[in-house]
Amino acid sequence: MNLIESIKGNRFAVFGRAGMDMFADPVGVKSEDATTFQADLGGSSANICVGLVKLGSDASLVTSVSDDAVGRFCINRLEDYGVDTRYVRSVGGEARTSLAVYESCIEDFQNVIYRNGAADFQVSDNDMDAVNYSAFTALITAGTVFAAEPSRSATFRAFDNAKAAGLPVIFDIDYRPYIWPSAEVAADVLSRAGEASDLIVGNDEEFGFMAGGIEKGLDKARELAASGKLVIYKMGHEGAITLADGEEIRTGIYPVTAIKPNGAGDSFMAGLLASIAAGHSLRDAVLRGSACASIVVSQPGCANAMPTTTELEAFLSSHSGPTL
């Protein structure tokens, strides 16, 4: 299995959550002062799917949503964006699709996320075994799937199924403390997921968390890369370090006037993978992912703000360039 060649196959099975986003309108208004909110699809894995599809890739989401109006809203929006929903299962009972309420303001930014009894944690081994892995060329997951059972065990089963089918595993660490039972459990489980992955993307805090201290994060990334993995170590405004085949590639960011911080990581992942699939070099793919992140933070919303290929090219041609 060649990771880059598999990504170039451009057919992705994405595991993780879909949710509803509600963001205060207009730009600059705080959520508690808003009288109008815009609604759209959200959730890290759903956002990655939308980002991929907008950039010309094929993406299928594997998740569970609640069997109610909000769950159906998410399925409808996924389909509107062109994401394959055949592996999105509606679950009854008390499980609920997650809801994020946020605003387009950087100062004292607020993102209130409702995830009590989250429906996406209800994915099962049966859901994972129902996926036709031969239809895809890579598996992607965000770390939120590992925070609770049965989703945790089921996703590790999906990793095994993917490996058996010859698919590489792409892992966005995406650590969110509030959804985990403890930091110790999170560190153990996310480290296990990292060991089982072929491409790992995370920021300095996330790698530091896995290593037991932020100052140890880069060493952790280097350790994972030394075992043969492709690792992208993001450092916010300082850019990223891509660790591959014994090399360390440093890249900068595209400065923009940001109106919110969220959605950047999802857009980066989509831009990175779609750009590799389109034949760009690894360095250029990382830079294009960074450009996608800049586009998203400069606009309200997440899924709706993911750029198309045309929008990405227009941004690159009109921007002065990356900082590195």
Side-chain angles (χ1 to χ4, degrees):
M1 175 190 64
N2 181 291
L3 172 62
I4 298 298
E5 288 305 311
S6 294
I7 293 171
K8 286 182 177 178
N10 213 21
R11 300 191 307 277
F12 300 99
V14 186
F15 294 71
R17 66 191 173 94
M20 176 186 273
D21 277 10
M22 296 184 68
F23 45 100
D25 188 45
V27 169
V29 114
K30 302 296 286 180
S31 294
E32 58 264 43
D33 298 324
T35 56
T36 304
F37 287 83
Q38 297 290 330
D40 208 333
L41 180 70
S44 48
S45 295
N47 288 337
I48 291 170
C49 281
V50 172
L52 285 165
V53 169
K54 284 188 170 186
L55 292 169
S57 304
D58 289 336
S60 298
L61 184 63
V62 184
T63 193
S64 297
V65 296
S66 48
D67 187 12
D68 56 23
V70 176
R72 289 188 289 276
F73 172 89
C74 292
I75 292 173
N76 288 344
R77 293 303 290 144
L78 284 162
E79 292 175 348
D80 289 343
Y81 282 118
V83 177
D84 176 26
T85 61
R86 74 186 69 189
Y87 300 118
V88 179
R89 180 170 64 93
S90 297
V91 295
E94 293 302 309
R96 291 290 180 265
T97 299
S98 60
L99 170 68
V101 180
Y102 57 92
E103 54 207 13
S104 300
C105 355
I106 287 292
E107 189 174 349
D108 299 323
F109 172 77
Q110 300 173 107
N111 186 6
V112 183
I113 301 183
Y114 296 86
R115 280 186 59 71
N116 295 332
D120 52 278
F121 285 142
Q122 297 305 308
V123 291
S124 66
D125 286 355
N126 288 340
D127 293 322
M128 300 313 179
D129 291 346
V131 175
N132 177 17
Y133 293 86
S134 65
F136 303 101
T137 60
L139 178 156
I140 306 169
T141 189
T144 48
V145 297
F146 295 110
E149 295 288 5
S151 175
R152 180 186 304 160
S153 296
T155 307
F156 278 121
R157 185 181 183 94
F159 278 26
D160 292 339
N161 292 347
K163 296 286 186 183
L167 303 187
V169 171
I170 298 164
F171 175 46
D172 187 343
I173 300 171
D174 195 27
Y175 174 56
R176 297 164 188 249
Y178 60 87
I179 62 172
W180 286 86
S182 73
E184 292 74 22
V185 170
D188 176 64
V189 174
L190 293 175
S191 293
R192 181 181 159 203
E195 293 293 339
S197 302
D198 301 287
L199 165 55
I200 306 165
V201 178
N203 62 33
D204 44 8
E205 292 182 357
E206 289 167 335
F207 280 105
F209 172 75
M210 289 167 67
I214 190 166
E215 72 285 352
K216 303 174 186 174
L218 185 53
D219 286 339
K220 178 67 173 180
R222 286 172 172 151
E223 175 191 319
L224 288 163
S227 69
K229 304 176 191 304
L230 173 56
V231 179
I232 299 177
Y233 182 85
K234 299 185 295 184
M235 304 175 293
H237 69 277
E238 294 182 18
I241 302 173
T242 301
L243 302 100
D245 299 324
E247 283 189 88
E248 293 191 7
I249 306 167
R250 289 182 178 260
T251 48
I253 64 163
Y254 290 84
V256 291
T257 301
I259 62 169
K260 68 177 196 312
N262 55 327
D266 305 331
S267 190
F268 175 86
M269 177 68 89
L272 168 75
L273 297 176
S275 297
I276 291 173
H280 293 275
S281 70
L282 186 54
R283 178 190 176 85
D284 285 348
V286 171
L287 284 170
R288 289 168 69 87
S290 296
C292 289
S294 292
I295 290 168
V296 168
V297 298
S298 66
Q299 299 177 26
C302 287
N304 56 291
M306 299 283 163
T308 62
T309 303
T310 300
E311 290 165 343
L312 173 57
E313 297 297 348
F315 175 88
L316 291 168
S317 65
S318 64
H319 201 282
S320 58
T323 53
L324 272 180

